[in-house]
Amino acid sequence: MDTAAADAYLDRIGAARPAAPDAEALRALHLSHLRTVPFENLSIHLGEEIVLVEQPLLDKIVRARRGGFCYELNGAFALLLGALGYDVELLSARVFGADGPGIPYDHLALRVQTPSGPWLADVGFGRHSHFPLRWDSRAEQADPGGVFRIEETSEGDLDVLRDGDPQYRLEQRPRAYADFEAGCWWHRTSPKSHFTQSLVCSRLTGTGRVTLSGRTLVTTGADGARDERQLDGGEGEVLAAYRERFGIVLEREPRVGAVRAPGGGA
């Protein structure tokens, strides 16, 4: 990523270029990203291709002011951090579900080196920590998003826990971006993937979180107060919610099942 592209990305997330690639700047960039770039799977239900290549990724998130899921959000964030002078590694993780960890390359997260040590950065997991987590700490780490802890497993992996519940299992071996293509393809095509079964668009706010799940708009306050309402005014009201709440301008409303995914999936 060149300087102009990095500046455009910083403008997209409303952040200033940091004076140095240190932990303090990483924390600020991480929070700014979560508050401006939504976690969303709309492309799957709009029939849009998801391409894990630098320029299409930046075109979507920066130029088109869209969001994405983990491969896109953390992949793009890694490009920005690298352009700002950080040493960034892509890591594969398996998300915990009712039956244990998911598929290989289920999730993409980042290990970021700073002068004060390594950090786990993740702007692509929906509800998660607001700030990076200290990679080399095994103590509880308090965050506005919960109390987090990183635990070592007997196989040499790391489990990331929020409020005592395992979220995902990280492999410590660095990966290339292309390694995640199979996992991305599975999540956007398989009938077993929760991304093909539902619509989600969610963004952290200064006072909580706002989420549009199908036609259900949910706002959550800092105190946990939850307001939920159905958008019954038709497609126009839904498109307005995407535009006004998330800055996403769409020509038509995404609908689950409206588009058959490439490769014969859902």
mmCIF file of all heavy atoms in Angstrom, residues 231-265:
data_model
loop_
_atom_site.group_PDB
_atom_site.id
_atom_site.type_symbol
_atom_site.label_atom_id
_atom_site.label_comp_id
_atom_site.label_asym_id
_atom_site.label_seq_id
_atom_site.Cartn_x
_atom_site.Cartn_y
_atom_site.Cartn_z
ATOM 1 N N LEU A 231 -38.045 -3.137 11.021
ATOM 2 C CA LEU A 231 -38.188 -2.155 9.959
ATOM 3 C C LEU A 231 -39.272 -2.664 9.003
ATOM 4 O O LEU A 231 -39.014 -3.471 8.107
ATOM 5 C CB LEU A 231 -36.851 -1.957 9.229
ATOM 6 C CG LEU A 231 -35.664 -1.555 10.110
ATOM 7 C CD1 LEU A 231 -34.428 -1.304 9.256
ATOM 8 C CD2 LEU A 231 -35.987 -0.325 10.944
ATOM 9 N N ASP A 232 -40.480 -2.189 9.202
ATOM 10 C CA ASP A 232 -41.628 -2.681 8.448
ATOM 11 C C ASP A 232 -42.038 -1.744 7.323
ATOM 12 O O ASP A 232 -43.070 -1.949 6.680
ATOM 13 C CB ASP A 232 -42.826 -2.887 9.385
ATOM 14 C CG ASP A 232 -42.530 -3.943 10.455
ATOM 15 O OD1 ASP A 232 -41.856 -4.929 10.128
ATOM 16 O OD2 ASP A 232 -42.979 -3.750 11.609
ATOM 17 N N GLY A 233 -41.223 -0.719 7.079
ATOM 18 C CA GLY A 233 -41.586 0.260 6.055
ATOM 19 C C GLY A 233 -41.151 -0.101 4.655
ATOM 20 O O GLY A 233 -41.177 0.747 3.757
ATOM 21 N N GLY A 234 -40.708 -1.351 4.453
ATOM 22 C CA GLY A 234 -40.324 -1.780 3.118
ATOM 23 C C GLY A 234 -38.852 -1.559 2.834
ATOM 24 O O GLY A 234 -38.061 -1.163 3.700
ATOM 25 N N GLU A 235 -38.477 -1.808 1.578
ATOM 26 C CA GLU A 235 -37.075 -1.742 1.180
ATOM 27 C C GLU A 235 -36.472 -0.362 1.410
ATOM 28 O O GLU A 235 -35.307 -0.236 1.795
ATOM 29 C CB GLU A 235 -36.937 -2.142 -0.289
ATOM 30 C CG GLU A 235 -35.490 -2.165 -0.779
ATOM 31 C CD GLU A 235 -35.357 -2.695 -2.191
ATOM 32 O OE1 GLU A 235 -35.674 -1.935 -3.130
ATOM 33 O OE2 GLU A 235 -34.930 -3.846 -2.355
ATOM 34 N N GLY A 236 -37.256 0.682 1.191
ATOM 35 C CA GLY A 236 -36.736 2.038 1.361
ATOM 36 C C GLY A 236 -36.254 2.296 2.777
ATOM 37 O O GLY A 236 -35.213 2.929 2.987
ATOM 38 N N GLU A 237 -36.985 1.806 3.774
ATOM 39 C CA GLU A 237 -36.583 2.004 5.164
ATOM 40 C C GLU A 237 -35.321 1.216 5.488
ATOM 41 O O GLU A 237 -34.446 1.687 6.218
ATOM 42 C CB GLU A 237 -37.709 1.591 6.103
ATOM 43 C CG GLU A 237 -37.408 1.884 7.566
ATOM 44 C CD GLU A 237 -38.523 1.461 8.503
ATOM 45 O OE1 GLU A 237 -39.384 0.647 8.087
ATOM 46 O OE2 GLU A 237 -38.528 1.931 9.653
ATOM 47 N N VAL A 238 -35.210 0.020 4.928
ATOM 48 C CA VAL A 238 -34.025 -0.809 5.166
ATOM 49 C C VAL A 238 -32.788 -0.163 4.547
ATOM 50 O O VAL A 238 -31.730 -0.062 5.179
ATOM 51 C CB VAL A 238 -34.235 -2.230 4.599
ATOM 52 C CG1 VAL A 238 -32.954 -3.048 4.727
ATOM 53 C CG2 VAL A 238 -35.377 -2.927 5.326
ATOM 54 N N LEU A 239 -32.912 0.284 3.298
ATOM 55 C CA LEU A 239 -31.781 0.927 2.629
ATOM 56 C C LEU A 239 -31.369 2.205 3.362
ATOM 57 O O LEU A 239 -30.177 2.524 3.453
ATOM 58 C CB LEU A 239 -32.127 1.229 1.177
ATOM 59 C CG LEU A 239 -32.383 0.016 0.274
ATOM 60 C CD1 LEU A 239 -32.699 0.463 -1.147
ATOM 61 C CD2 LEU A 239 -31.183 -0.923 0.279
ATOM 62 N N ALA A 240 -32.347 2.935 3.892
ATOM 63 C CA ALA A 240 -32.041 4.144 4.658
ATOM 64 C C ALA A 240 -31.284 3.805 5.934
ATOM 65 O O ALA A 240 -30.372 4.541 6.339
ATOM 66 C CB ALA A 240 -33.330 4.895 4.994
ATOM 67 N N ALA A 241 -31.638 2.695 6.575
ATOM 68 C CA ALA A 241 -30.938 2.280 7.794
ATOM 69 C C ALA A 241 -29.493 1.926 7.485
ATOM 70 O O ALA A 241 -28.573 2.299 8.234
ATOM 71 C CB ALA A 241 -31.657 1.092 8.425
ATOM 72 N N TYR A 242 -29.241 1.220 6.392
ATOM 73 C CA TYR A 242 -27.861 0.906 6.005
ATOM 74 C C TYR A 242 -27.078 2.200 5.758
ATOM 75 O O TYR A 242 -25.916 2.330 6.170
ATOM 76 C CB TYR A 242 -27.836 0.043 4.743
ATOM 77 C CG TYR A 242 -28.103 -1.422 4.973
ATOM 78 C CD1 TYR A 242 -29.166 -2.077 4.351
ATOM 79 C CD2 TYR A 242 -27.282 -2.174 5.815
ATOM 80 C CE1 TYR A 242 -29.413 -3.418 4.561
ATOM 81 C CE2 TYR A 242 -27.518 -3.524 6.033
ATOM 82 C CZ TYR A 242 -28.590 -4.142 5.404
ATOM 83 O OH TYR A 242 -28.828 -5.478 5.619
ATOM 84 N N ARG A 243 -27.729 3.149 5.105
ATOM 85 C CA ARG A 243 -27.045 4.395 4.750
ATOM 86 C C ARG A 243 -26.794 5.267 5.976
ATOM 87 O O ARG A 243 -25.682 5.775 6.180
ATOM 88 C CB ARG A 243 -27.897 5.156 3.722
ATOM 89 C CG ARG A 243 -27.271 6.445 3.234
ATOM 90 C CD ARG A 243 -28.135 7.097 2.163
ATOM 91 N NE ARG A 243 -29.461 7.471 2.656
ATOM 92 C CZ ARG A 243 -30.597 6.850 2.334
ATOM 93 N NH1 ARG A 243 -30.582 5.806 1.537
ATOM 94 N NH2 ARG A 243 -31.762 7.280 2.828
ATOM 95 N N GLU A 244 -27.809 5.442 6.797
ATOM 96 C CA GLU A 244 -27.697 6.382 7.913
ATOM 97 C C GLU A 244 -26.962 5.805 9.115
ATOM 98 O O GLU A 244 -26.288 6.544 9.837
ATOM 99 C CB GLU A 244 -29.103 6.822 8.330
ATOM 100 C CG GLU A 244 -29.823 7.604 7.238
ATOM 101 C CD GLU A 244 -31.319 7.737 7.487
ATOM 102 O OE1 GLU A 244 -31.762 7.324 8.583
ATOM 103 O OE2 GLU A 244 -32.035 8.230 6.587
ATOM 104 N N ARG A 245 -27.086 4.516 9.340
ATOM 105 C CA ARG A 245 -26.470 3.896 10.518
ATOM 106 C C ARG A 245 -25.062 3.375 10.251
ATOM 107 O O ARG A 245 -24.241 3.296 11.165
ATOM 108 C CB ARG A 245 -27.338 2.737 11.009
ATOM 109 C CG ARG A 245 -28.738 3.137 11.430
ATOM 110 C CD ARG A 245 -28.730 3.823 12.787
ATOM 111 N NE ARG A 245 -30.076 4.057 13.291
ATOM 112 C CZ ARG A 245 -30.365 4.117 14.578
ATOM 113 N NH1 ARG A 245 -29.410 3.946 15.490
ATOM 114 N NH2 ARG A 245 -31.596 4.353 14.968
ATOM 115 N N PHE A 246 -24.794 2.992 8.981
ATOM 116 C CA PHE A 246 -23.513 2.352 8.680
ATOM 117 C C PHE A 246 -22.737 3.018 7.548
ATOM 118 O O PHE A 246 -21.617 2.615 7.240
ATOM 119 C CB PHE A 246 -23.741 0.876 8.322
ATOM 120 C CG PHE A 246 -24.510 0.125 9.363
ATOM 121 C CD1 PHE A 246 -25.877 -0.100 9.224
ATOM 122 C CD2 PHE A 246 -23.882 -0.350 10.514
ATOM 123 C CE1 PHE A 246 -26.605 -0.781 10.193
ATOM 124 C CE2 PHE A 246 -24.596 -1.026 11.487
ATOM 125 C CZ PHE A 246 -25.952 -1.250 11.328
ATOM 126 N N GLY A 247 -23.342 4.023 6.916
ATOM 127 C CA GLY A 247 -22.676 4.689 5.799
ATOM 128 C C GLY A 247 -22.587 3.839 4.553
ATOM 129 O O GLY A 247 -21.773 4.094 3.671
ATOM 130 N N ILE A 248 -23.439 2.800 4.455
ATOM 131 C CA ILE A 248 -23.412 1.885 3.320
ATOM 132 C C ILE A 248 -24.566 2.230 2.375
ATOM 133 O O ILE A 248 -25.734 2.197 2.765
ATOM 134 C CB ILE A 248 -23.531 0.425 3.786
ATOM 135 C CG1 ILE A 248 -22.281 0.032 4.583
ATOM 136 C CG2 ILE A 248 -23.727 -0.512 2.608
ATOM 137 C CD1 ILE A 248 -22.340 -1.384 5.144
ATOM 138 N N VAL A 249 -24.209 2.558 1.136
ATOM 139 C CA VAL A 249 -25.205 2.913 0.132
ATOM 140 C C VAL A 249 -25.416 1.721 -0.791
ATOM 141 O O VAL A 249 -24.492 1.278 -1.476
ATOM 142 C CB VAL A 249 -24.762 4.148 -0.679
ATOM 143 C CG1 VAL A 249 -25.801 4.474 -1.752
ATOM 144 C CG2 VAL A 249 -24.552 5.341 0.247
ATOM 145 N N LEU A 250 -26.620 1.183 -0.794
ATOM 146 C CA LEU A 250 -26.962 0.019 -1.613
ATOM 147 C C LEU A 250 -28.083 0.369 -2.583
ATOM 148 O O LEU A 250 -28.922 1.211 -2.292
ATOM 149 C CB LEU A 250 -27.414 -1.149 -0.731
ATOM 150 C CG LEU A 250 -26.424 -1.674 0.316
ATOM 151 C CD1 LEU A 250 -27.095 -2.761 1.161
ATOM 152 C CD2 LEU A 250 -25.165 -2.210 -0.342
ATOM 153 N N GLU A 251 -28.090 -0.300 -3.731
ATOM 154 C CA GLU A 251 -29.149 -0.089 -4.713
ATOM 155 C C GLU A 251 -30.363 -0.959 -4.424
ATOM 156 O O GLU A 251 -31.475 -0.626 -4.840
ATOM 157 C CB GLU A 251 -28.628 -0.381 -6.118
ATOM 158 C CG GLU A 251 -27.537 0.588 -6.574
ATOM 159 C CD GLU A 251 -27.077 0.299 -7.981
ATOM 160 O OE1 GLU A 251 -27.544 -0.723 -8.565
ATOM 161 O OE2 GLU A 251 -26.265 1.076 -8.508
ATOM 162 N N ARG A 252 -30.152 -2.091 -3.743
ATOM 163 C CA ARG A 252 -31.258 -2.979 -3.411
ATOM 164 C C ARG A 252 -30.999 -3.644 -2.068
ATOM 165 O O ARG A 252 -29.857 -3.710 -1.606
ATOM 166 C CB ARG A 252 -31.460 -4.047 -4.491
ATOM 167 C CG ARG A 252 -30.242 -4.922 -4.755
ATOM 168 C CD ARG A 252 -30.464 -5.808 -5.971
ATOM 169 N NE ARG A 252 -29.263 -6.551 -6.325
ATOM 170 C CZ ARG A 252 -28.935 -7.740 -5.833
ATOM 171 N NH1 ARG A 252 -29.753 -8.325 -4.939
ATOM 172 N NH2 ARG A 252 -27.844 -8.363 -6.205
ATOM 173 N N GLU A 253 -32.047 -4.111 -1.477
ATOM 174 C CA GLU A 253 -31.950 -4.731 -0.160
ATOM 175 C C GLU A 253 -31.404 -6.158 -0.278
ATOM 176 O O GLU A 253 -31.935 -6.962 -1.053
ATOM 177 C CB GLU A 253 -33.321 -4.766 0.490
ATOM 178 C CG GLU A 253 -33.343 -5.436 1.853
ATOM 179 C CD GLU A 253 -34.758 -5.595 2.409
ATOM 180 O OE1 GLU A 253 -35.708 -5.049 1.798
ATOM 181 O OE2 GLU A 253 -34.906 -6.261 3.454
ATOM 182 N N PRO A 254 -30.369 -6.503 0.479
ATOM 183 C CA PRO A 254 -29.908 -7.895 0.490
ATOM 184 C C PRO A 254 -30.903 -8.772 1.231
ATOM 185 O O PRO A 254 -31.474 -8.361 2.240
ATOM 186 C CB PRO A 254 -28.569 -7.812 1.236
ATOM 187 C CG PRO A 254 -28.668 -6.587 2.077
ATOM 188 C CD PRO A 254 -29.557 -5.637 1.334
ATOM 189 N N ARG A 255 -31.110 -9.964 0.724
ATOM 190 C CA ARG A 255 -32.046 -10.897 1.350
ATOM 191 C C ARG A 255 -31.439 -12.291 1.377
ATOM 192 O O ARG A 255 -30.840 -12.731 0.393
ATOM 193 C CB ARG A 255 -33.381 -10.936 0.601
ATOM 194 C CG ARG A 255 -34.184 -9.653 0.675
ATOM 195 C CD ARG A 255 -35.454 -9.783 -0.161
ATOM 196 N NE ARG A 255 -36.270 -8.569 -0.129
ATOM 197 C CZ ARG A 255 -37.208 -8.325 0.765
ATOM 198 N NH1 ARG A 255 -37.453 -9.209 1.723
ATOM 199 N NH2 ARG A 255 -37.915 -7.213 0.722
ATOM 200 N N VAL A 256 -31.581 -12.981 2.482
ATOM 201 C CA VAL A 256 -31.076 -14.347 2.603
ATOM 202 C C VAL A 256 -31.804 -15.228 1.593
ATOM 203 O O VAL A 256 -33.033 -15.219 1.504
ATOM 204 C CB VAL A 256 -31.297 -14.892 4.032
ATOM 205 C CG1 VAL A 256 -30.898 -16.367 4.102
ATOM 206 C CG2 VAL A 256 -30.511 -14.081 5.041
ATOM 207 N N GLY A 257 -31.008 -15.980 0.824
ATOM 208 C CA GLY A 257 -31.584 -16.903 -0.140
ATOM 209 C C GLY A 257 -31.934 -16.282 -1.466
ATOM 210 O O GLY A 257 -32.338 -16.980 -2.395
ATOM 211 N N ALA A 258 -31.775 -14.954 -1.586
ATOM 212 C CA ALA A 258 -32.123 -14.294 -2.849
ATOM 213 C C ALA A 258 -31.106 -14.583 -3.943
ATOM 214 O O ALA A 258 -31.411 -14.522 -5.123
ATOM 215 C CB ALA A 258 -32.244 -12.785 -2.643
ATOM 216 N N VAL A 259 -29.860 -14.903 -3.526
ATOM 217 C CA VAL A 259 -28.783 -15.164 -4.480
ATOM 218 C C VAL A 259 -28.208 -16.534 -4.170
ATOM 219 O O VAL A 259 -27.919 -16.847 -3.012
ATOM 220 C CB VAL A 259 -27.677 -14.100 -4.366
ATOM 221 C CG1 VAL A 259 -26.523 -14.440 -5.291
ATOM 222 C CG2 VAL A 259 -28.230 -12.726 -4.700
ATOM 223 N N ARG A 260 -28.024 -17.333 -5.192
ATOM 224 C CA ARG A 260 -27.374 -18.634 -5.022
ATOM 225 C C ARG A 260 -25.879 -18.414 -5.123
ATOM 226 O O ARG A 260 -25.388 -17.853 -6.099
ATOM 227 C CB ARG A 260 -27.839 -19.637 -6.075
ATOM 228 C CG ARG A 260 -27.262 -21.025 -5.842
ATOM 229 C CD ARG A 260 -27.909 -22.048 -6.772
ATOM 230 N NE ARG A 260 -27.342 -23.379 -6.587
ATOM 231 C CZ ARG A 260 -27.689 -24.216 -5.630
ATOM 232 N NH1 ARG A 260 -28.592 -23.856 -4.749
ATOM 233 N NH2 ARG A 260 -27.135 -25.410 -5.531
ATOM 234 N N ALA A 261 -25.142 -18.827 -4.088
ATOM 235 C CA ALA A 261 -23.703 -18.570 -4.030
ATOM 236 C C ALA A 261 -22.970 -19.341 -5.096
ATOM 237 O O ALA A 261 -23.399 -20.421 -5.523
ATOM 238 C CB ALA A 261 -23.169 -18.959 -2.661
ATOM 239 N N PRO A 262 -21.826 -18.834 -5.600
ATOM 240 C CA PRO A 262 -21.016 -19.556 -6.562
ATOM 241 C C PRO A 262 -20.571 -20.886 -6.016
ATOM 242 O O PRO A 262 -20.291 -21.007 -4.820
ATOM 243 C CB PRO A 262 -19.819 -18.617 -6.798
ATOM 244 C CG PRO A 262 -20.206 -17.304 -6.248
ATOM 245 C CD PRO A 262 -21.249 -17.549 -5.222
ATOM 246 N N GLY A 263 -20.478 -21.867 -6.845
ATOM 247 C CA GLY A 263 -19.971 -23.154 -6.424
ATOM 248 C C GLY A 263 -21.036 -24.067 -5.871
ATOM 249 O O GLY A 263 -20.752 -25.122 -5.311
ATOM 250 N N GLY A 264 -22.319 -23.682 -6.004
ATOM 251 C CA GLY A 264 -23.401 -24.579 -5.602
ATOM 252 C C GLY A 264 -23.734 -24.534 -4.133
ATOM 253 O O GLY A 264 -24.385 -25.423 -3.614
ATOM 254 N N GLY A 265 -23.321 -23.482 -3.402
ATOM 255 C CA GLY A 265 -23.625 -23.388 -1.980
ATOM 256 C C GLY A 265 -24.999 -22.784 -1.761
ATOM 257 O O GLY A 265 -25.828 -22.706 -2.661
#
